[in-house]
Amino acid sequence: MVEDEVIAFQLEQLLTPAITTQENYYRQLGLRDRVLNLPLMVAAVLTLLWRDVAGVTELTRMLSREGFLWCRPLEVSQQAISQRFLTFPAQLFEKVFKDLLPHLQASWSRRNHRKIPQSVQFTLTKFEKIWIVDCSILEALFQKLESLKDAPQGKLAGKIGTVIDLKNMLPVEIWFCDNSRSADTKFEADILNLVTPNTLLLLDRGFYHFNFWLQLIAKNVNFITRLKKGAAIHVEQVFTDSFSLRDRLIRLGSGTNKTPFVTLRLVEVRSAKTWHSYLTSVLDPTVLPPYVVADLYRRRWRIEDAFNTVKRLLGLSYLWTGSINGVQLQIWGTWLFYAVLVDLGDAVADELSLPFDSISLEMIYRGLYHFYVAHQKGKATDPIKYFAAPENQDLGIVKRQRKPNMKLIVAPFPDQQRGTPEFFFQPSSQTPLTTASQP
C-alpha cells in the first residue's frame, strides 16, 4: 500500500505527543539519541503494519528512497534495522500505546451521533465499566527479519491476555506470556490487579475457576460467563420459568478448597430448539435482567473480532522475530495500530450515525488505498467524509445487516411484566436511540 500524506499527517498528529512524552524515559534507559531512535522505530513499525511491507529489506529501501510517515529519507543498513528490531526495548512501545489510549477515549467521548447498543446503554446505568477478557495464542508462521531467515517456522510464540472495553472497543490492557501452552488462568492475578469496583466482566470459559470468581466478587467486580456442560447445580430460587426463558439462583461447587461453594444466577434463553446458558454473579434480576445478560454475552464475541483483526489483517500471526523482546515489540505496535484503526472506524460510525458494530474495520483498512487514489486526483481530502459518502458505500465499509433490529427486553421478570412500559428498553433523552437483537 502506498503512503498518503493526509493519513500520514493524521498519524503524526495523533502519535507525536505520546512519543515525545516517552523520550525522557528513552534516555532514562541509557539509550543514546542515535539514528534509529524512538520516533523512527515507531514510524517503522507502523509502516510495516499500515503499508503491509514484505520485510525489512523493502523497509530499508523505502527509508532510503522516500522516507515514511514523519521520517525523511535516510541511509541505514538493512542489518542495522534488523538488529534494532531484536533489541529495541519493547516497554517503550507499551508506554506509547498506553499514553495514546486516554486521547482515543477522549475522542470517543466527544462523538455523540454514533449509536450505542441498547444492552450496553442499560448496563452502564448500573456499572461503571463493561470489559471483555480473553486470551489468544500467537503463531509464528514466518519472520520478516533477514537475521532470522534460517529460523524454524511454525513454532508457537506465546499467548496474549487481552482486556477490551465493550463501550468503545478500545484495548484496556494486554499481557504476554511466552508459554503458549499456559492456561488462561495464568492471567488471573493480572486481572485482579487491574479491575476496579463496579466493573462487569464478560469472561471466556477459560476463566471457569470458582476461587477466581469468589475473588472478583469480594472486590465488588461482577461477571458473566458460560455454564460448563454437565455442571452439577443446586437450584435455590426460581425467578422465571417459561417456554423460552429460565432465570434461577443456583449454587455451584462441592465445598472443597478447589471447588468452593459459589452462588450465581443461571440464565437460560431458548433459540429454536437450543438452550443457551449463562452464569452471572449479578444475583438480582432488577440490576441485570435476563435478556440483557444474554445480549451482553453475545457481544463478548467482539474480542474475537479484535483478535482476528490484529492477527490476520494486521499480521500478528506472522511474527517478525523469534526473540521475546521482538515479539513484545510487535504485539504493542500491532495493538497500537489496531487502536488507531478503531478510532477511525468509530469516527466513520459517528459520521453515519450508525453503531460501531456496523462498520467493517477490515474494509476501512483496505479502503485506505482507494482514499489515497481519490486524494491524488483531488476528489477527497478527509478519510472520514470519504468513507461515509454514499457514492463510496461499494467499498463495503458498512456491513450488511443480517438480522432485523429488535427492541431489547429489559424487564427483570418478563412473563409478569409483558405489556408494561418497563418491558422494552427506553433510551434516555441524553442517549441516542439504538437497537439490539433479542437473543
Side-chain angles (χ1 to χ4, degrees), residues 344 348 364 367-368 371 383-389 392-393 395 397:
L344 177 57
V348 174
I364 282 185
L368 290 173
F371 170 76
I384 297 169
K385 299 287 186 184
Y386 176 79
F387 289 134
N392 296 324
Q393 292 314 296
L395 295 177
I397 302 300

Side-chain angles (χ1 to χ4, degrees), residues 78-98:
Q78 175 186 305
Q79 183 181 11
I81 294 183
S82 291
Q83 289 301 318
R84 195 62 166 154
F85 272 105
L86 293 174
T87 60
F88 194 83
Q91 64 264 42
L92 280 164
F93 269 71
E94 177 184 358
K95 286 180 171 292
V96 170
F97 167 76
K98 291 184 175 178

Side-chain angles (χ1 to χ4, degrees), residues 90-386:
Q91 64 264 42
L92 280 164
F93 269 71
E94 177 184 358
K95 286 180 171 292
V96 170
F97 167 76
K98 291 184 175 178
D99 194 61
L100 175 66
L101 286 179
H103 298 283
L104 299 183
Q105 292 162 357
S107 296
W108 184 93
S109 298
R110 287 193 293 268
R111 301 179 188 123
N112 53 20
H113 298 294
R114 158 254 300 115
K115 298 178 180 179
I116 302 172
Q118 294 179 13
S119 59
V120 176
Q121 290 185 50
F122 179 90
T123 305
L124 287 175
T125 66
K126 312 287 185 177
F127 296 90
E128 290 183 8
K129 297 181 281 284
I130 312 168
W131 287 352
I132 315 173
V133 185
D134 202 357
C135 301
S136 184
I137 293 173
L138 298 178
E139 308 94 343
L141 301 184
F142 67 79
Q143 293 84 20
K144 286 193 175 187
L145 300 188
E146 181 68 21
S147 56
L148 293 168
K149 64 180 180 180
D150 298 322
Q153 298 181 11
K155 179 183 175 183
L156 296 178
K159 177 179 279 192
I160 52 173
T162 306
V163 181
I164 284 182
D165 192 331
L166 180 60
K167 180 178 69 173
N168 54 35
M169 287 309 299
L170 290 169
V172 176
E173 184 60 271
I174 293 105
W175 302 287
F176 172 73
C177 173
D178 58 5
N179 181 5
S180 60
R181 295 178 177 84
S182 63
D184 292 358
T185 52
K186 178 177 177 61
F187 296 103
E188 287 179 356
D190 296 310
I191 296 168
L192 288 167
N193 288 331
L194 176 69
V195 293
T196 55
N198 207 27
T199 297
L200 180 68
L201 300 180
L202 308 181
L203 298 174
D204 179 74
R205 274 193 292 203
F207 297 102
Y208 200 94
H209 183 197
F210 293 0
N211 283 300
F212 175 55
W213 294 350
L214 289 172
Q215 288 176 285
L216 289 173
I217 293 169
K219 290 174 67 74
N220 192 26
V221 174
N222 284 283
F223 61 87
I224 304 173
T225 188
R226 293 294 296 272
L227 180 69
K228 275 194 174 178
K229 198 177 234 184
I233 65 171
H234 174 75
V235 179
E236 297 187 341
Q237 185 178 352
V238 176
F239 298 116
T240 300
D241 188 357
S242 66
F243 175 78
S244 59
L245 175 67
R246 294 196 293 253
D247 188 358
R248 296 174 288 175
L249 194 68
I250 66 165
R251 189 180 69 186
L252 290 173
S254 59
T256 64
N257 289 335
K258 187 175 181 181
T259 56
F261 291 125
V262 56
T263 301
L264 301 170
R265 258 175 74 212
L266 174 60
V267 174
E268 297 172 288
V269 178
R270 184 184 182 117
S271 176
K273 296 181 179 180
T274 304
W275 284 92
H276 301 280
S277 304
Y278 310 94
L279 289 172
T280 179
S281 59
V282 182
L283 305 183
D284 186 351
T286 63
V287 175
L288 208 59
Y291 283 115
V292 176
V293 170
D295 190 80
L296 285 174
Y297 199 79
R298 178 173 65 84
R299 296 179 185 283
R300 191 204 68 81
W301 191 256
R302 297 296 175 262
I303 199 169
E304 304 295 346
D305 293 338
F307 285 145
N308 185 60
T309 299
V310 298
K311 292 173 73 173
R312 306 301 172 191
L313 184 65
L314 302 184
L316 195 54
S317 281
Y318 307 92
L319 298 178
W320 306 335
T321 168
S323 75
I324 296 300
N325 180 79
V327 171
Q328 289 178 307
L329 186 150
Q330 185 179 354
I331 288 170
W332 291 115
T334 305
W335 280 104
L336 188 155
F337 188 74
Y338 167 82
V340 172
L341 195 60
V342 166
D343 182 67
L344 177 57
D346 185 68
V348 174
D350 192 66
E351 182 73 19
L352 292 169
S353 298
L354 289 173
F356 176 79
D357 291 349
S358 298
I359 303 300
S360 170
L361 291 185
E362 177 179 357
M363 299 316 294
I364 282 185
Y365 175 77
R366 300 192 186 285
L368 290 173
Y369 169 76
H370 298 287
F371 170 76
Y372 163 79
V373 173
H375 179 244
Q376 292 303 305
K377 293 181 177 180
K379 296 180 178 180
T381 57
D382 183 339
I384 297 169
K385 299 287 186 184
Y386 176 79

Side-chain angles (χ1 to χ4, degrees), residues 60-80:
T60 306
R61 292 193 191 107
M62 291 167 59
L63 180 59
S64 173
R65 287 167 170 76
E66 60 191 81
F68 40 67
L69 292 177
W70 45 83
C71 299
R72 295 179 178 178
L74 182 67
E75 288 285 347
V76 181
S77 71
Q78 175 186 305
Q79 183 181 11

